[in-house]
């Protein structure tokens, strides 16, 4: 497994853990407002820790508006930002 793939896998696991800490994986957040500033902070921390130039986040909860946001850039060194319509290569999620 390449170093990039390992980082992606670790990132996926860290992302799932981050969502769980927000109470999103347990359903507790369905009654509470989503702390967007905390999600922003987790995304920034994740990008720094796993050295990724950009990522997209989607949080979908029953009966509540979806939270979708892009962070960073599509390609390191280029200005094109990640947004909610950015397509990522397979296994990059």
């Amino acid at each position: 497994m390449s170093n990039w793939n390992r980082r992606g896998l670790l990132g996926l696991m860290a992302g799932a853990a981050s969502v769980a800490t927000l109470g999103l994986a347990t359903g507790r957040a369905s009654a509470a407002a989503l702390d967007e500033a905390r999600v922003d902070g987790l995304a920034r921390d994740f990008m720094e820790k796993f050295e990724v130039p950009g990522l997209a986040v989607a949080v979908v909860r029953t009966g509540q508006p979806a939270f979708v946001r892009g962070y960073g850039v599509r390609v390191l060194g280029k200005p094109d930002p990640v947004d909610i319509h950015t397509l990522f290569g397979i296994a990059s999620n």
Side-chain angles (χ1 to χ4, degrees), residues 59-90:
V59 179
V60 180
R61 303 174 295 162
T62 303
Q64 304 227 355
F67 172 88
V68 288
R69 188 168 293 164
Y71 300 89
V73 295
R74 297 175 187 203
V75 177
L76 193 59
K78 295 189 177 180
D80 300 326
V82 172
D83 63 22
I84 64 171
H85 302 289
T86 301
L87 298 178
F88 291 94
I90 192 162

Side-chain angles (χ1 to χ4, degrees), residues 24-50:
L24 300 173
T26 63
R28 291 190 325 251
S30 62
L34 179 65
D35 184 347
E36 292 184 20
R38 186 161 180 210
V39 175
D40 291 343
L42 287 169
R44 283 190 301 273
D45 291 347
F46 177 89
M47 288 172 52
E48 182 179 329
K49 183 172 185 165
F50 294 100

